[in-house]
Amino acid sequence: AKYCVHEEQKEKLISLSETTGSALYNDYILRERRSWGDVLYDFDGIQLTLQSLFELIPAIRPRHFSIASASSKSDMELCVAVIEGKTPLGRSYQGLCSSYLASLEKGAVVRFWFQPGSFQLPMQIVDDSFKVPILYIGAGTGIAPLRGLILERESKRMNHSNGKQVRPGEVDSVLIFGCRKSDQDFLYKNEWEGLSERGYLEVFTAFSRDQWHKIYVQQVMGQNQEMITNHILHRGGMVFIAGGAKMAQAVKNELLEILTPLVGGEKQSKLLLKKMQKESRLVIEAWS
């Protein structure tokens, strides 16, 4: 506001910055997804030098993406949703980083760095099956890290069998995947079907917009309680969850509800999940 030469605009900018104007800020900035450029365009009375502009605008926050390919492979793949849409008033908006990545042409150079993930893969194989089974639960682009983990174990299985396709005695990988529409958002559908046909992966799906009532991954879990309890309580399996924070919390709540009557109550169920997290048998990577 101190850079604005129009008194009326200055007063509005001050109102936007005060706690008493939080409703105005929510309507003008958040709901309409306005950027710094939009604000400077709307408030043309703001007069800034280039130096003042750089001092005022914060640095762009880094974007974190999970690798969607096996770590043993030389090529690295990402699974990125391009953010675009319209605000309640009809203004178009785009995601800054996702739109940038989508606009790149083959051969373009992108700077990035690696950060260690949370998942630790058990790789011991006994009689063509992995000793420790894994239940993967993800929605949307949360499938990215899960795909990388699934493909890494299948690469290990192929090396163990000297390239021959073998059928494990019992399915050691289960995927519960959720998205909006099966014909638009079922990421890596052909891969999952191929692994399923060979007996390497069991797949359960939740397509929330394919019917009049919404179905989410936690509801699919509720429909397969016997499989989940057998996986956790009898087979000593691991549970990997990836996706939005709300989905991850809903999945954890569903796990509690499923396990509670079998382990002696809610307190024991919470202690079991806490123990699993401490032992890295239950691992969650979630983002908002």
Side-chain angles (χ1 to χ4, degrees):
K2 71 177 182 178
Y3 298 104
C4 190
V5 297
H6 293 171
E7 286 301 319
E8 186 177 341
Q9 291 185 8
K10 181 182 290 188
E11 290 177 5
K12 189 173 182 180
L13 286 167
I14 291 173
S15 297
L16 283 168
S17 65
E18 293 176 342
T19 54
T20 54
S22 59
L24 179 62
Y25 181 87
N26 183 66
D27 289 340
Y28 176 71
I29 299 292
L30 300 182
R31 289 181 71 238
E32 286 301 300
R33 297 175 179 262
R34 283 186 168 88
S35 65
W36 282 96
D38 295 323
V39 173
L40 292 173
Y41 179 83
D42 290 345
F43 291 84
D44 55 5
I46 298 175
Q47 296 183 359
L48 288 168
T49 65
L50 189 59
Q51 180 179 346
S52 299
L53 180 65
F54 287 153
E55 291 174 351
L56 181 65
I57 297 178
I60 298 173
R61 291 180 298 173
R63 269 59 168 179
H64 302 282
F65 297 103
S66 298
I67 296 174
S69 50
S71 60
S72 59
K73 302 300 181 181
S74 57
D75 293 334
M76 186 183 72
E77 297 178 32
L78 299 179
C79 180
V80 181
V82 179
I83 305 300
E84 56 185 8
K86 288 187 178 296
T87 68
L89 294 182
R91 297 178 69 254
S92 297
Y93 65 87
Q94 292 182 322
L96 181 63
C97 187
S98 63
S99 296
Y100 161 71
L101 290 174
S103 70
L104 294 176
E105 297 182 358
K106 186 176 181 179
V109 177
V110 179
R111 295 185 179 183
F112 63 91
W113 65 95
F114 292 103
Q115 288 186 323
S118 306
F119 301 112
Q120 298 179 18
L121 272 180
M123 301 295 276
Q124 185 178 356
I125 295 178
V126 178
D127 296 330
D128 299 321
S129 294
F130 286 99
K131 184 176 181 181
V132 180
I134 300 178
L135 169 61
Y136 307 88
I137 305 173
T141 54
I143 196 63
L146 305 184
R147 177 181 183 251
L149 299 170
I150 292 171
L151 294 185
E152 183 64 24
R153 289 230 297 183
E154 292 313 316
S155 176
K156 170 73 173 180
R157 195 197 309 268
M158 288 294 288
N159 290 335
H160 177 79
S161 63
N162 295 319
K164 297 179 182 179
Q165 289 191 3
V166 295
R167 197 170 189 90
E170 189 172 7
V171 175
D172 48 36
S173 295
V174 178
L175 171 64
I176 301 178
F177 173 69
C179 62
R180 287 174 175 263
K181 292 181 177 292
S182 58
D183 60 347
Q184 298 178 16
D185 312 307
F186 194 176
L187 301 171
Y188 309 112
K189 174 184 177 181
N190 293 339
E191 290 186 11
W192 308 141
E193 290 179 347
L195 290 173
S196 179
E197 289 171 1
R198 295 195 294 273
Y200 299 156
L201 180 70
E202 188 172 7
V203 182
F204 298 89
T205 54
F207 303 121
S208 62
R209 302 296 194 273
D210 273 3
Q211 57 286 309
W212 66 268
H213 61 289
K214 296 178 181 178
I215 298 177
Y216 298 109
V217 289
Q218 61 268 26
Q219 292 167 312
V220 173
M221 292 170 62
Q223 297 167 2
N224 295 275
Q225 295 188 30
E226 184 177 349
M227 178 272 292
I228 291 174
T229 54
N230 180 58
H231 175 84
I232 294 174
L233 300 178
H234 304 298
R235 300 184 67 192
M238 304 175 77
V239 181
F240 290 167
I241 304 167
K246 288 184 179 180
M247 180 279 299
Q249 186 58 55
V251 167
K252 190 173 181 181
N253 292 342
E254 186 66 28
L255 283 175
L256 282 171
E257 188 171 330
I258 291 172
L259 293 170
T260 291
L262 300 174
V263 297
E266 184 177 349
K267 182 178 179 180
Q268 295 302 317
S269 181
K270 288 181 177 179
L271 288 174
L272 172 59
L273 292 187
K274 187 175 181 179
K275 180 183 178 184
M276 288 178 64
Q277 285 188 282
K278 187 176 181 180
E279 297 173 345
S280 296
R281 284 183 58 207
L282 170 62
V283 186
I284 302 171
E285 281 196 1
W287 49 88
S288 57

